[in-house]
Amino acid sequence: MAKEQSLDNLWLAQTLFDLGGVQFGNFTVSESAVSSPVFVNPKVLISNLTALRVASKLMQQEINLAQSLRRPRVHPFAVVAGVPVGGLLLATAYSLETNIPLIYARSRPEGTGKRGIEGRFTAGDTALIIDDLITRGSSILETAELLSENGLKVKDVIVLVDREHGAVERLRHQGYNLISILKLDVMLTHYMSRGLIS
C-alpha cells in the first residue's frame, strides 16, 4: 500500500464519496425497486488501488476478529464466492490479499458459460460470500442457493456497504450471518459531520 493507508472505515467512506461512488437524488435501488435518495456504487473503488486494498484488508480484519472470539461469529471457510459484479471484484481483491481461493457463482448462462460454479472446490467445503452492497439481500440469497445446489455450504456473508433495508434479518431468517464494513447511516453521518451534505 502506498505509505500504508490505515485501516479506517470512515476513510473508506470518504474515499467512496470522493470517487463519486455516493450520489444524491431519487433512485430506484435493488431488484426490489426500493426508492432511495442515496445511490451507492462501491465498484468505483477498483480505480483506486489503495482504497480497494483497504476494503479487502478491512474485510480480512473483521473476519479475523469475528473468528478469534471465544464464541466465533464467523465459521471457517475454504473458498470465497463473489456475487457478480461488484462482489466479484471485491472477492478477487480479498482472495489475492489472503491467498484464499476464489470461485464465481454464475447464476445465469453467459456467453459460452453455463449456469454453475467457475473455479475449483470440493463438495462439502464452506464458502464465504462477498458482495459490495446489500439492500434486501436477494442476489446474495440467489448466490447462496446456487452454491448449495453445487455441494457447498454457506454460513457467512460479508459486504462492504449495508444500506440497512432489512437484509440482516432476512439473511438471518435463512440461516446466514451478515457482516458489514460500512452502514449507510454511519456514512451519511460522517458526510454531514464533514459538511459535505446537509
Side-chain angles (χ1 to χ4, degrees):
M1 227 181 297
K3 295 186 182 172
E4 272 311 302
Q5 171 59 47
S6 65
L7 299 182
D8 182 344
N9 298 38
L10 293 180
W11 178 88
L12 192 61
Q14 184 64 48
T15 302
L16 261 174
F17 186 91
D18 294 344
L19 291 170
V22 181
Q23 299 171 18
F24 300 91
N26 186 18
F27 304 97
T28 299
V29 296
S30 90
E31 64 292 330
S32 57
V34 173
S35 181
S36 174
V38 184
F39 177 74
V40 182
N41 179 14
K43 290 184 272 309
V44 300
L45 293 176
I46 64 171
S47 62
N48 182 318
L49 297 181
T50 298
L52 185 59
R53 211 170 278 122
V54 166
S56 67
K57 285 179 179 279
L58 282 169
M59 289 189 300
Q60 180 184 19
Q61 178 178 278
E62 193 67 30
I63 289 166
N64 289 346
L65 174 64
Q67 288 179 328
S68 71
L69 298 173
R70 192 167 169 185
R71 300 178 90 184
R73 291 184 327 156
V74 172
H75 297 80
F77 52 92
V79 294
V80 295
V83 177
V85 167
L88 190 55
L89 301 171
L90 278 176
T92 301
Y94 181 85
S95 179
L96 290 169
E97 190 68 43
T98 61
N99 290 317
I100 296 172
L102 171 70
I103 57 174
Y104 166 42
R106 186 193 315 264
S107 58
R108 291 169 201 65
E110 298 168 7
T112 59
K114 59 183 182 181
R115 184 176 191 275
I117 309 292
E118 296 285 351
R120 297 182 61 147
F121 64 93
T122 303
D125 279 351
T126 299
L128 171 73
I129 295 179
I130 297 178
D131 206 354
D132 62 337
L133 179 73
I134 190 166
T135 302
R136 298 268 307 127
S138 296
S139 57
I140 287 172
L141 290 172
E142 185 179 332
T143 299
E145 182 180 329
L146 179 58
L147 294 173
S148 294
E149 287 171 11
N150 284 274
L152 287 156
K153 293 184 261 179
V154 176
K155 301 196 183 283
D156 301 292
V157 175
I158 189 162
V159 298
L160 192 60
V161 179
D162 180 357
R163 292 186 57 85
E164 301 176 285
H165 280 265
V168 170
E169 296 79 17
R170 188 172 182 210
L171 266 62
R172 185 180 307 126
H173 182 72
Q174 297 293 323
Y176 306 116
N177 173 46
L178 176 65
I179 296 171
S180 57
I181 302 304
L182 292 166
K183 294 192 182 325
L184 185 57
D185 186 51
V186 171
M187 294 168 64
L188 295 175
T189 300
H190 170 73
Y191 303 147
M192 286 180 73
S193 74
R194 303 278 317 264
L196 300 170
I197 61 173
S198 54

